[in-house]
Amino acid sequence: MDSNLHSLNKLSSEIESYKVFLPFMSQKIQGKYNSIKEHLTDMDKTMTDFNRYFTDIGWCAYDSMNLALMKKAVFEFETSGTDAGERILLDYYETDIKKEIPVLLRKAAPFAQRADLIQKAFDDHFEDRYYASIPQFLIIIDGSVNDFTKSKGFFAGNTDVTAWDCLVGCSDGLSKMKNIFNKKRTKTNSDEIRIPYRNGILHGRDLNYGNEYVSCKCVALMFAIADWMCMKDSEDARKEKFEKENNPQPILKSIESIAKNTSAKGEMKQWKPRNIIVGVDISTQPTAEDCEKYPYLIPVVKTFDAWKSKNYGFLSSYLKELFDYEESETKRAGECRKLFSSKTFCSYEIKEVKEEGCSKIRIQVQADWESNEKHYSEFLECGIIYRGEGKEIALPWKGNGTWRLVPWNFRNLLKS
């Protein structure tokens, strides 16, 4: 396991030290122990193999990267070769990544500031206009990192892109990608390249760069950088927490916690979604009192009530994840005021409600507002997620969490 993954290394060490007590434990506890150990071993092998197989050709594992995607790519690489492994990644970053764009914009302020440019670059990417998407992605990456470091862009020689205790900060992570993509290109080259050599592309020396390989690797790089920004921002707090936990939770308690979560997952499998018809089952403009059977609608109702009353403190708390790049409530309220003070709320209507999971609801709303003597009527999409405070799975019927609004696609608010 990479030495930078301090938390996982610590957990691995704890698990190994607990092995001596295993013969005295019940079969149930032994089973949970073996399950944890196998999962940790499998995760470590998958991440290690992924970076070993793919970093030299322009991909690196990052913390929010789907583990199943890594496993599938590794499997195809081992059974059918490099091209088959890359094809798994290309297919994902050409199609499935579309639903993750709002996550990218929420995760790091420098990307959020470039929302329109990013969307246009993605539009070119999804329409196979790679000669247009690739330079835009590279420019966005460089500028975003420059804003984040307040010093140098991503491709500058002395820009440090390491981060403590995270996958993207590993030896085969972002630093290695930076060195590969920043390779000097001193001669004009008309042969196809499959790695986004920044200098060759932006300085006009690599002429045949416009293909899915280069564009997809730029997309993956943006998500890796967003993870790095999040991990770098939280680095000091994570270190402090890690150091305070010198007497960590006993592994037995961890196993018991996993047993509870396993039971919760069994309950989740029994859950069935309801087919919600807006205008029949629920009002298009419900009040909080109307939401007894659908409590997940209350955050939506309160959000628009706060906008209507121009209560930016409450509004920023309901839209916390839209402004999560600011640490304090006061700063989030200030950012919220900047975005909404010029927008006079008119009305809203719930257009669609879909219960995608027992703790995950997708809601589409049409919002109307006025700004600068113009009327806007735009669709906004949000997720309503049931979350608890601890690591235990939160389930609505247990009452161990709260419904929280996650702005999946509020990009239309930026139009005015």
Side-chain angles (χ1 to χ4, degrees), residues 361-373:
I361 316 298
R362 181 174 67 83
I363 298 178
Q364 189 177 63
V365 177
Q366 183 174 349
D368 286 68
W369 69 89
E370 292 181 354
S371 178
N372 298 321
E373 299 182 350

Side-chain angles (χ1 to χ4, degrees), residues 53-240:
Y53 297 151
F54 293 105
T55 52
D56 287 337
I57 54 176
W59 309 93
C60 78
Y62 51 89
D63 297 82
S64 63
M65 193 178 196
N66 189 298
L67 188 64
L69 174 68
M70 285 192 240
K71 291 184 72 169
K72 191 174 181 181
V74 166
F75 175 80
E76 291 296 330
F77 183 99
E78 292 177 339
T79 56
S80 303
T82 304
D83 289 344
E86 275 206 287
R87 176 45 56 191
I88 298 300
L89 299 172
L90 292 171
D91 288 346
Y92 176 80
Y93 287 103
E94 284 184 320
T95 55
D96 294 345
I97 198 64
K98 184 177 291 186
K99 64 179 180 292
E100 300 297 329
I101 297 174
V103 177
L104 175 73
L105 300 180
R106 291 198 307 270
K107 188 169 283 188
F111 287 128
Q113 292 169 348
R114 293 164 171 80
D116 282 346
L117 286 175
I118 288 173
Q119 188 59 58
K120 289 172 183 176
F122 270 112
D123 289 344
D124 287 329
H125 173 73
F126 294 130
E127 293 297 326
D128 300 344
R129 295 189 291 265
Y130 302 126
Y131 280 97
S133 65
I134 293 165
Q136 278 292 339
F137 284 140
L138 292 174
I139 291 168
I140 289 165
I141 288 167
D142 221 18
S144 297
V145 173
N146 206 323
D147 283 353
F148 182 79
T149 63
K150 297 179 174 60
S151 174
K152 301 286 185 180
F154 177 75
F155 297 99
N158 59 350
T159 300
D160 180 10
V161 290
T162 61
W164 182 83
D165 193 27
C166 61
L167 184 55
V168 77
C170 289
S171 56
D172 279 338
L174 205 53
S175 294
K176 187 171 183 179
M177 289 298 95
K178 174 175 173 284
N179 292 333
I180 292 173
F181 296 169
N182 210 25
K183 184 179 178 181
K184 289 184 178 180
R185 311 290 285 176
T186 57
K187 295 181 180 179
T188 299
N189 171 44
S190 58
D191 294 335
E192 182 186 66
I193 59 171
R194 291 189 171 183
I195 289 180
Y197 295 122
R198 182 261 186 190
N199 295 323
I201 294 169
L202 295 186
H203 294 164
R205 307 310 293 273
D206 281 306
L207 309 182
N208 195 1
Y209 66 85
N211 58 67
E212 59 181 339
Y213 289 85
V214 178
S215 196
C216 286
K217 288 170 186 178
C218 287
V219 172
L221 178 61
M222 283 205 303
F223 279 87
I225 289 173
D227 270 11
W228 166 70
M229 289 177 178
C230 284
M231 291 303 197
K232 198 67 177 177
D233 273 341
S234 64
E235 188 173 56
D236 291 341
R238 290 186 295 110
K239 278 184 181 179
E240 183 179 354

